[in-house]
Amino acid sequence: MPDRDDPTGFTLLVDGVPSSYLRLGDPGFLGFEYMQQMAAVLALVPPGPLDVVHVGAAGCALARHVDAVRPGSRQIGIDPQAELLSAVREWFDLPRAPALRLRAGDGRTVLGDLRPATADAVVRDAFAPDVTPRHLTTAEFHLLARHTLRPGGLYLLNVADQAPLRGVREELATVGATFGTARLALVAEPGVLKGRRYGNLVIAAVAPGEEDAGPHGPDLAGAALDRAVRSLAAPSTILTGGDLATFVGQAQVRRDPPST
């Protein structure tokens, strides 16, 4: 769908749901606020190319951004719809393989086939049509993401929710059960965080390192990220530590149903 105010801008609708915004000729541009929040977290990683896996590719807007700001990055975009991946290759100026490889298939299955400890970041941004499939929200799925990440790697999740925010609380409890709660964060616009309106929230977690090696990876509770998200076009709030634990409360961990 063309942007009436920008002849180079297009919104990609998947099953009628806005899934990506891309500006032709400007691969570094991110139109969706939650993607700007993800980019702020990724910016904590020291300069240089990244290996990134995107579970839920759609128009590959975030992958284009990473390729633009970190030349030499190697990325994989996974989406169940082969026809969609073929179309976005044709329509948009996406990086070519090996900079960006597109794989059609179920995100959990493809992620499980990747070699362990080979990614600097795993991004889960998958919806069908406007709800994340449950098998991509369980502790067992998050464990696959953890195995794919190098020590100190970033796990980023887009969660769409509304009051009373039960979904994001359960997702946080589940990611915390898999990655630990010491380096776990939630980023969202204040209105969404307070349940005033439906919107997107970003969960960020850092993959633990070896027990004797000390902490690896970005500091999600540091002042740098707090300043970065407050300085976005849509200023955002970050919850970590005790504030995050209070927000999660007694939310239940999601697990795969028992095998029959």
Side-chain angles (χ1 to χ4, degrees), residues 69-126:
V69 301
R70 292 179 180 264
S73 293
R74 295 172 297 181
Q75 302 184 80
I76 299 172
I78 306 167
D79 200 280
Q81 301 187 49
E83 184 179 1
L84 172 64
L85 295 179
S86 176
V88 296
R89 272 283 190 216
E90 177 184 351
W91 296 336
F92 306 125
D93 50 340
L94 301 185
R96 293 290 174 179
L100 175 60
R101 291 176 289 161
L102 300 181
R103 295 190 181 180
D106 173 72
R108 180 160 168 168
T109 301
V110 177
L111 188 67
D113 290 337
L114 299 179
R115 289 184 295 130
T118 53
D120 299 305
V122 172
V123 180
R124 192 211 68 191
D125 187 8

Short mmCIF file of all heavy atoms in Angstrom, two decimals, residues 69-126:
data_model
loop_
_atom_site.label_atom_id
_atom_site.label_comp_id
_atom_site.label_asym_id
_atom_site.label_seq_id
_atom_site.Cartn_x
_atom_site.Cartn_y
_atom_site.Cartn_z
N VAL A 69 23.38 -0.21 8.24
CA VAL A 69 24.18 0.41 9.30
C VAL A 69 25.36 -0.45 9.73
O VAL A 69 26.28 0.05 10.37
CB VAL A 69 23.31 0.76 10.53
CG1 VAL A 69 22.18 1.71 10.13
CG2 VAL A 69 22.74 -0.48 11.20
N ARG A 70 25.33 -1.73 9.36
CA ARG A 70 26.43 -2.64 9.69
C ARG A 70 26.80 -3.45 8.45
O ARG A 70 26.47 -4.64 8.36
CB ARG A 70 26.04 -3.57 10.85
CG ARG A 70 25.86 -2.83 12.18
CD ARG A 70 25.45 -3.78 13.27
NE ARG A 70 25.27 -3.12 14.54
CZ ARG A 70 26.20 -3.06 15.50
NH1 ARG A 70 27.38 -3.63 15.30
NH2 ARG A 70 25.96 -2.44 16.63
N PRO A 71 27.49 -2.81 7.50
CA PRO A 71 27.86 -3.51 6.26
C PRO A 71 28.65 -4.78 6.58
O PRO A 71 29.45 -4.83 7.51
CB PRO A 71 28.73 -2.49 5.53
CG PRO A 71 28.33 -1.16 6.11
CD PRO A 71 27.96 -1.42 7.53
N GLY A 72 28.40 -5.79 5.77
CA GLY A 72 29.07 -7.06 5.96
C GLY A 72 28.32 -8.03 6.84
O GLY A 72 28.76 -9.18 7.02
N SER A 73 27.17 -7.60 7.37
CA SER A 73 26.37 -8.50 8.20
C SER A 73 25.83 -9.65 7.37
O SER A 73 25.60 -9.53 6.16
CB SER A 73 25.20 -7.74 8.84
OG SER A 73 25.66 -6.78 9.77
N ARG A 74 25.61 -10.78 8.04
CA ARG A 74 25.02 -11.96 7.41
C ARG A 74 23.72 -12.28 8.14
O ARG A 74 23.72 -12.46 9.35
CB ARG A 74 25.98 -13.15 7.49
CG ARG A 74 27.28 -12.93 6.69
CD ARG A 74 28.26 -14.05 6.95
NE ARG A 74 28.66 -14.08 8.37
CZ ARG A 74 29.53 -14.93 8.88
NH1 ARG A 74 30.06 -15.87 8.10
NH2 ARG A 74 29.85 -14.88 10.16
N GLN A 75 22.63 -12.35 7.37
CA GLN A 75 21.32 -12.49 7.99
C GLN A 75 20.50 -13.58 7.30
O GLN A 75 20.69 -13.88 6.11
CB GLN A 75 20.57 -11.16 7.93
CG GLN A 75 21.31 -10.01 8.61
CD GLN A 75 20.50 -8.74 8.62
OE1 GLN A 75 19.60 -8.56 9.44
NE2 GLN A 75 20.82 -7.84 7.71
N ILE A 76 19.59 -14.13 8.08
CA ILE A 76 18.64 -15.12 7.57
C ILE A 76 17.24 -14.64 7.92
O ILE A 76 16.96 -14.30 9.08
CB ILE A 76 18.87 -16.51 8.21
CG1 ILE A 76 20.27 -17.02 7.87
CG2 ILE A 76 17.81 -17.51 7.75
CD1 ILE A 76 20.65 -18.30 8.61
N GLY A 77 16.37 -14.56 6.93
CA GLY A 77 14.97 -14.21 7.14
C GLY A 77 14.10 -15.43 6.92
O GLY A 77 14.18 -16.07 5.86
N ILE A 78 13.28 -15.78 7.91
CA ILE A 78 12.44 -16.98 7.84
C ILE A 78 10.98 -16.57 7.80
O ILE A 78 10.53 -15.75 8.60
CB ILE A 78 12.68 -17.88 9.08
CG1 ILE A 78 14.17 -18.20 9.25
CG2 ILE A 78 11.88 -19.17 8.98
CD1 ILE A 78 14.51 -18.80 10.60
N ASP A 79 10.24 -17.14 6.89
CA ASP A 79 8.80 -16.87 6.81
C ASP A 79 8.11 -18.10 6.23
O ASP A 79 8.67 -18.75 5.32
CB ASP A 79 8.52 -15.65 5.93
CG ASP A 79 7.14 -15.06 6.20
OD1 ASP A 79 6.15 -15.61 5.67
OD2 ASP A 79 7.06 -14.06 6.96
N PRO A 80 6.92 -18.45 6.72
CA PRO A 80 6.25 -19.65 6.20
C PRO A 80 5.73 -19.50 4.78
O PRO A 80 5.45 -20.51 4.13
CB PRO A 80 5.10 -19.87 7.18
CG PRO A 80 4.85 -18.53 7.78
CD PRO A 80 6.18 -17.85 7.85
N GLN A 81 5.61 -18.27 4.29
CA GLN A 81 5.00 -18.05 2.98
C GLN A 81 6.08 -17.83 1.92
O GLN A 81 6.64 -16.74 1.79
CB GLN A 81 4.06 -16.84 3.03
CG GLN A 81 2.93 -16.99 4.04
CD GLN A 81 1.92 -15.89 3.96
OE1 GLN A 81 1.44 -15.55 2.88
NE2 GLN A 81 1.58 -15.30 5.10
N ALA A 82 6.35 -18.87 1.13
CA ALA A 82 7.37 -18.77 0.08
C ALA A 82 7.00 -17.71 -0.95
O ALA A 82 7.85 -16.99 -1.47
CB ALA A 82 7.54 -20.13 -0.60
N GLU A 83 5.70 -17.60 -1.24
CA GLU A 83 5.24 -16.62 -2.23
C GLU A 83 5.53 -15.20 -1.75
O GLU A 83 5.92 -14.33 -2.54
CB GLU A 83 3.74 -16.79 -2.48
CG GLU A 83 3.19 -15.86 -3.56
CD GLU A 83 1.70 -16.09 -3.80
OE1 GLU A 83 1.10 -16.94 -3.12
OE2 GLU A 83 1.15 -15.39 -4.67
N LEU A 84 5.37 -14.96 -0.46
CA LEU A 84 5.67 -13.64 0.10
C LEU A 84 7.15 -13.32 -0.03
O LEU A 84 7.52 -12.22 -0.45
CB LEU A 84 5.25 -13.59 1.57
CG LEU A 84 5.67 -12.34 2.35
CD1 LEU A 84 5.01 -11.10 1.79
CD2 LEU A 84 5.35 -12.51 3.83
N LEU A 85 8.01 -14.27 0.29
CA LEU A 85 9.45 -14.04 0.20
C LEU A 85 9.86 -13.74 -1.24
O LEU A 85 10.70 -12.86 -1.49
CB LEU A 85 10.21 -15.25 0.73
CG LEU A 85 10.02 -15.55 2.23
CD1 LEU A 85 10.80 -16.79 2.62
CD2 LEU A 85 10.45 -14.37 3.08
N SER A 86 9.27 -14.45 -2.19
CA SER A 86 9.58 -14.20 -3.59
C SER A 86 9.12 -12.80 -4.00
O SER A 86 9.83 -12.08 -4.73
CB SER A 86 8.90 -15.26 -4.46
OG SER A 86 9.10 -15.00 -5.83
N ALA A 87 7.95 -12.39 -3.51
CA ALA A 87 7.41 -11.08 -3.87
C ALA A 87 8.25 -9.95 -3.31
O ALA A 87 8.56 -8.98 -4.02
CB ALA A 87 5.97 -10.96 -3.37
N VAL A 88 8.65 -10.04 -2.04
CA VAL A 88 9.41 -8.92 -1.46
C VAL A 88 10.81 -8.83 -2.08
O VAL A 88 11.38 -7.74 -2.18
CB VAL A 88 9.49 -9.03 0.08
CG1 VAL A 88 8.10 -8.91 0.68
CG2 VAL A 88 10.19 -10.29 0.55
N ARG A 89 11.35 -9.96 -2.52
CA ARG A 89 12.61 -9.91 -3.28
C ARG A 89 12.44 -9.10 -4.56
O ARG A 89 13.31 -8.34 -4.96
CB ARG A 89 13.05 -11.33 -3.64
CG ARG A 89 13.89 -12.03 -2.62
CD ARG A 89 15.32 -11.55 -2.64
NE ARG A 89 16.17 -12.39 -1.81
CZ ARG A 89 17.16 -11.94 -1.11
NH1 ARG A 89 17.43 -10.65 -1.08
NH2 ARG A 89 17.91 -12.75 -0.41
N GLU A 90 11.28 -9.27 -5.20
CA GLU A 90 11.02 -8.58 -6.46
C GLU A 90 10.69 -7.11 -6.24
O GLU A 90 11.15 -6.25 -7.00
CB GLU A 90 9.86 -9.28 -7.18
CG GLU A 90 9.45 -8.61 -8.48
CD GLU A 90 8.23 -9.26 -9.12
OE1 GLU A 90 7.82 -10.34 -8.64
OE2 GLU A 90 7.71 -8.69 -10.09
N TRP A 91 9.93 -6.80 -5.20
CA TRP A 91 9.42 -5.45 -5.00
C TRP A 91 10.43 -4.50 -4.38
O TRP A 91 10.47 -3.31 -4.70
CB TRP A 91 8.17 -5.48 -4.11
CG TRP A 91 7.00 -6.20 -4.68
CD1 TRP A 91 6.74 -6.43 -6.00
CD2 TRP A 91 5.92 -6.79 -3.94
NE1 TRP A 91 5.56 -7.13 -6.12
CE2 TRP A 91 5.04 -7.36 -4.88
CE3 TRP A 91 5.63 -6.87 -2.59
CZ2 TRP A 91 3.87 -8.02 -4.50
CZ3 TRP A 91 4.47 -7.53 -2.19
CH2 TRP A 91 3.60 -8.10 -3.16
N PHE A 92 11.22 -5.01 -3.42
CA PHE A 92 12.04 -4.13 -2.59
C PHE A 92 13.52 -4.39 -2.80
O PHE A 92 13.92 -5.48 -3.23
CB PHE A 92 11.67 -4.31 -1.11
CG PHE A 92 10.21 -4.13 -0.82
CD1 PHE A 92 9.47 -5.12 -0.18
CD2 PHE A 92 9.55 -2.96 -1.19
CE1 PHE A 92 8.13 -4.96 0.10
CE2 PHE A 92 8.20 -2.79 -0.93
CZ PHE A 92 7.48 -3.80 -0.29
N ASP A 93 14.33 -3.38 -2.49
CA ASP A 93 15.78 -3.47 -2.69
C ASP A 93 16.41 -4.18 -1.49
O ASP A 93 17.12 -3.58 -0.70
CB ASP A 93 16.38 -2.08 -2.90
CG ASP A 93 15.94 -1.07 -1.85
OD1 ASP A 93 14.92 -1.31 -1.18
OD2 ASP A 93 16.62 -0.04 -1.70
N LEU A 94 16.14 -5.48 -1.40
CA LEU A 94 16.68 -6.26 -0.29
C LEU A 94 18.11 -6.68 -0.58
O LEU A 94 18.49 -6.90 -1.73
CB LEU A 94 15.83 -7.52 -0.07
CG LEU A 94 14.35 -7.32 0.25
CD1 LEU A 94 13.70 -8.67 0.54
CD2 LEU A 94 14.15 -6.37 1.40
N PRO A 95 18.92 -6.81 0.47
CA PRO A 95 20.28 -7.34 0.27
C PRO A 95 20.21 -8.75 -0.31
O PRO A 95 19.31 -9.52 0.00
CB PRO A 95 20.87 -7.35 1.69
CG PRO A 95 20.01 -6.43 2.48
CD PRO A 95 18.65 -6.48 1.88
N ARG A 96 21.16 -9.05 -1.16
CA ARG A 96 21.21 -10.37 -1.78
C ARG A 96 21.99 -11.34 -0.90
O ARG A 96 22.77 -10.95 -0.05
CB ARG A 96 21.87 -10.28 -3.17
CG ARG A 96 21.04 -9.48 -4.17
CD ARG A 96 19.79 -10.26 -4.55
NE ARG A 96 18.89 -9.50 -5.41
CZ ARG A 96 17.75 -9.97 -5.88
NH1 ARG A 96 17.36 -11.20 -5.57
NH2 ARG A 96 16.96 -9.24 -6.64
N ALA A 97 21.77 -12.63 -1.15
CA ALA A 97 22.55 -13.65 -0.44
C ALA A 97 24.02 -13.52 -0.86
O ALA A 97 24.30 -13.18 -2.01
CB ALA A 97 22.01 -15.04 -0.78
N PRO A 98 24.96 -13.72 0.07
CA PRO A 98 24.78 -14.24 1.43
C PRO A 98 24.48 -13.17 2.47
O PRO A 98 24.35 -13.49 3.65
CB PRO A 98 26.11 -14.92 1.72
CG PRO A 98 27.09 -14.07 0.98
CD PRO A 98 26.39 -13.62 -0.28
N ALA A 99 24.40 -11.88 2.06
CA ALA A 99 24.10 -10.84 3.05
C ALA A 99 22.74 -11.09 3.70
O ALA A 99 22.58 -10.90 4.91
CB ALA A 99 24.14 -9.46 2.39
N LEU A 100 21.75 -11.51 2.91
CA LEU A 100 20.43 -11.85 3.44
C LEU A 100 19.91 -13.05 2.68
O LEU A 100 19.62 -12.97 1.49
CB LEU A 100 19.46 -10.68 3.29
CG LEU A 100 18.01 -10.96 3.70
CD1 LEU A 100 17.93 -11.38 5.17
CD2 LEU A 100 17.11 -9.75 3.46
N ARG A 101 19.80 -14.16 3.38
CA ARG A 101 19.22 -15.38 2.82
C ARG A 101 17.80 -15.51 3.33
O ARG A 101 17.54 -15.30 4.53
CB ARG A 101 20.04 -16.61 3.23
CG ARG A 101 21.42 -16.66 2.58
CD ARG A 101 22.21 -17.85 3.10
NE ARG A 101 22.63 -17.64 4.48
CZ ARG A 101 23.01 -18.61 5.31
NH1 ARG A 101 22.96 -19.87 4.92
NH2 ARG A 101 23.40 -18.32 6.54
N LEU A 102 16.87 -15.82 2.44
CA LEU A 102 15.47 -15.98 2.80
C LEU A 102 15.11 -17.46 2.73
O LEU A 102 15.38 -18.12 1.73
CB LEU A 102 14.58 -15.17 1.86
CG LEU A 102 14.81 -13.66 1.85
CD1 LEU A 102 13.83 -12.98 0.91
CD2 LEU A 102 14.70 -13.07 3.25
N ARG A 103 14.50 -17.95 3.82
CA ARG A 103 14.13 -19.35 3.90
C ARG A 103 12.65 -19.47 4.18
O ARG A 103 12.14 -18.89 5.14
CB ARG A 103 14.92 -20.06 5.00
CG ARG A 103 16.42 -20.13 4.72
CD ARG A 103 17.09 -21.06 5.71
NE ARG A 103 18.52 -21.13 5.49
CZ ARG A 103 19.36 -21.87 6.21
NH1 ARG A 103 18.88 -22.58 7.22
NH2 ARG A 103 20.65 -21.88 5.93
N ALA A 104 11.95 -20.23 3.34
CA ALA A 104 10.52 -20.49 3.54
C ALA A 104 10.37 -21.69 4.46
O ALA A 104 10.99 -22.73 4.25
CB ALA A 104 9.83 -20.74 2.21
N GLY A 105 9.55 -21.54 5.49
CA GLY A 105 9.30 -22.65 6.40
C GLY A 105 8.82 -22.15 7.74
O GLY A 105 8.79 -20.95 8.01
N ASP A 106 8.43 -23.09 8.58
CA ASP A 106 8.02 -22.74 9.93
C ASP A 106 9.22 -22.22 10.71
O ASP A 106 10.31 -22.81 10.69
CB ASP A 106 7.45 -23.98 10.62
CG ASP A 106 7.14 -23.73 12.09
OD1 ASP A 106 6.18 -23.01 12.37
OD2 ASP A 106 7.91 -24.23 12.94
N GLY A 107 9.03 -21.08 11.41
CA GLY A 107 10.15 -20.45 12.09
C GLY A 107 10.82 -21.35 13.11
O GLY A 107 12.05 -21.37 13.23
N ARG A 108 10.04 -22.10 13.85
CA ARG A 108 10.61 -22.97 14.88
C ARG A 108 11.42 -24.10 14.24
O ARG A 108 12.51 -24.45 14.72
CB ARG A 108 9.49 -23.53 15.76
CG ARG A 108 9.97 -24.46 16.85
CD ARG A 108 8.93 -24.58 17.94
NE ARG A 108 9.22 -25.65 18.85
CZ ARG A 108 8.60 -25.83 20.01
NH1 ARG A 108 7.64 -25.01 20.38
NH2 ARG A 108 8.92 -26.84 20.80
N THR A 109 10.90 -24.68 13.17
CA THR A 109 11.60 -25.78 12.51
C THR A 109 12.93 -25.32 11.92
O THR A 109 13.97 -25.95 12.11
CB THR A 109 10.71 -26.39 11.41
OG1 THR A 109 9.50 -26.86 11.99
CG2 THR A 109 11.42 -27.53 10.72
N VAL A 110 12.89 -24.18 11.21
CA VAL A 110 14.11 -23.68 10.58
C VAL A 110 15.12 -23.26 11.64
O VAL A 110 16.33 -23.54 11.52
CB VAL A 110 13.80 -22.53 9.62
CG1 VAL A 110 15.09 -21.97 9.01
CG2 VAL A 110 12.86 -22.99 8.51
N LEU A 111 14.67 -22.59 12.70
CA LEU A 111 15.57 -22.18 13.76
C LEU A 111 16.25 -23.40 14.38
O LEU A 111 17.45 -23.38 14.67
CB LEU A 111 14.81 -21.40 14.83
CG LEU A 111 15.66 -20.74 15.92
CD1 LEU A 111 16.51 -19.62 15.35
CD2 LEU A 111 14.77 -20.18 17.03
N GLY A 112 15.49 -24.46 14.57
CA GLY A 112 16.06 -25.66 15.16
C GLY A 112 17.09 -26.34 14.29
O GLY A 112 17.91 -27.12 14.79
N ASP A 113 17.07 -26.05 12.98
CA ASP A 113 18.03 -26.65 12.05
C ASP A 113 19.34 -25.87 11.96
O ASP A 113 20.31 -26.35 11.36
CB ASP A 113 17.42 -26.76 10.65
CG ASP A 113 16.31 -27.81 10.57
OD1 ASP A 113 16.30 -28.71 11.43
OD2 ASP A 113 15.47 -27.72 9.66
N LEU A 114 19.38 -24.66 12.52
CA LEU A 114 20.59 -23.84 12.43
C LEU A 114 21.64 -24.34 13.42
O LEU A 114 21.34 -24.94 14.45
CB LEU A 114 20.26 -22.38 12.72
CG LEU A 114 19.26 -21.71 11.77
CD1 LEU A 114 19.03 -20.26 12.19
CD2 LEU A 114 19.74 -21.77 10.33
N ARG A 115 22.89 -24.06 13.09
CA ARG A 115 23.98 -24.50 13.97
C ARG A 115 23.96 -23.71 15.28
O ARG A 115 23.68 -22.51 15.27
CB ARG A 115 25.33 -24.33 13.27
CG ARG A 115 25.57 -25.32 12.15
CD ARG A 115 26.96 -25.18 11.57
NE ARG A 115 27.13 -23.89 10.92
CZ ARG A 115 28.15 -23.07 11.13
NH1 ARG A 115 29.09 -23.39 12.00
NH2 ARG A 115 28.23 -21.92 10.48
N PRO A 116 24.28 -24.36 16.40
CA PRO A 116 24.28 -23.66 17.68
C PRO A 116 25.35 -22.58 17.74
O PRO A 116 26.39 -22.66 17.06
CB PRO A 116 24.59 -24.77 18.70
CG PRO A 116 24.31 -26.04 17.99
CD PRO A 116 24.56 -25.78 16.54
N ALA A 117 25.08 -21.54 18.54
CA ALA A 117 26.05 -20.48 18.84
C ALA A 117 26.63 -19.83 17.58
O ALA A 117 27.83 -19.60 17.48
CB ALA A 117 27.18 -21.04 19.72
N THR A 118 25.75 -19.52 16.63
CA THR A 118 26.21 -18.91 15.38
C THR A 118 25.60 -17.53 15.13
O THR A 118 25.92 -16.91 14.12
CB THR A 118 25.89 -19.82 14.18
OG1 THR A 118 24.50 -20.16 14.19
CG2 THR A 118 26.72 -21.09 14.23
N ALA A 119 24.72 -17.06 16.01
CA ALA A 119 24.04 -15.78 15.77
C ALA A 119 24.38 -14.77 16.86
O ALA A 119 24.54 -15.12 18.03
CB ALA A 119 22.53 -15.98 15.72
N ASP A 120 24.52 -13.52 16.45
CA ASP A 120 24.68 -12.42 17.40
C ASP A 120 23.33 -11.90 17.88
O ASP A 120 23.25 -11.27 18.94
CB ASP A 120 25.45 -11.26 16.75
CG ASP A 120 26.84 -11.66 16.33
OD1 ASP A 120 27.60 -12.17 17.18
OD2 ASP A 120 27.17 -11.49 15.13
N ALA A 121 22.30 -12.13 17.09
CA ALA A 121 20.95 -11.70 17.47
C ALA A 121 19.92 -12.61 16.81
O ALA A 121 20.11 -13.04 15.66
CB ALA A 121 20.70 -10.25 17.07
N VAL A 122 18.87 -12.91 17.54
CA VAL A 122 17.70 -13.59 17.01
C VAL A 122 16.51 -12.67 17.26
O VAL A 122 16.30 -12.21 18.39
CB VAL A 122 17.46 -14.96 17.68
CG1 VAL A 122 16.13 -15.56 17.24
CG2 VAL A 122 18.60 -15.92 17.35
N VAL A 123 15.75 -12.40 16.21
CA VAL A 123 14.59 -11.51 16.28
C VAL A 123 13.35 -12.33 15.98
O VAL A 123 13.25 -12.94 14.91
CB VAL A 123 14.71 -10.34 15.28
CG1 VAL A 123 13.49 -9.44 15.39
CG2 VAL A 123 15.99 -9.57 15.50
N ARG A 124 12.40 -12.35 16.91
CA ARG A 124 11.11 -13.00 16.65
C ARG A 124 10.07 -11.93 16.43
O ARG A 124 9.74 -11.17 17.33
CB ARG A 124 10.70 -13.89 17.83
CG ARG A 124 9.52 -14.83 17.47
CD ARG A 124 8.65 -15.14 18.66
NE ARG A 124 7.93 -13.95 19.11
CZ ARG A 124 7.26 -13.88 20.27
NH1 ARG A 124 7.27 -14.89 21.10
NH2 ARG A 124 6.61 -12.77 20.60
N ASP A 125 9.56 -11.89 15.21
CA ASP A 125 8.55 -10.89 14.84
C ASP A 125 7.56 -11.57 13.91
O ASP A 125 7.48 -11.26 12.72
CB ASP A 125 9.24 -9.70 14.16
CG ASP A 125 8.29 -8.54 13.90
OD1 ASP A 125 7.14 -8.59 14.39
OD2 ASP A 125 8.70 -7.58 13.20
N ALA A 126 6.82 -12.54 14.45
CA ALA A 126 5.99 -13.42 13.63
C ALA A 126 4.54 -13.35 14.10
O ALA A 126 4.26 -13.46 15.29
CB ALA A 126 6.50 -14.86 13.73
#
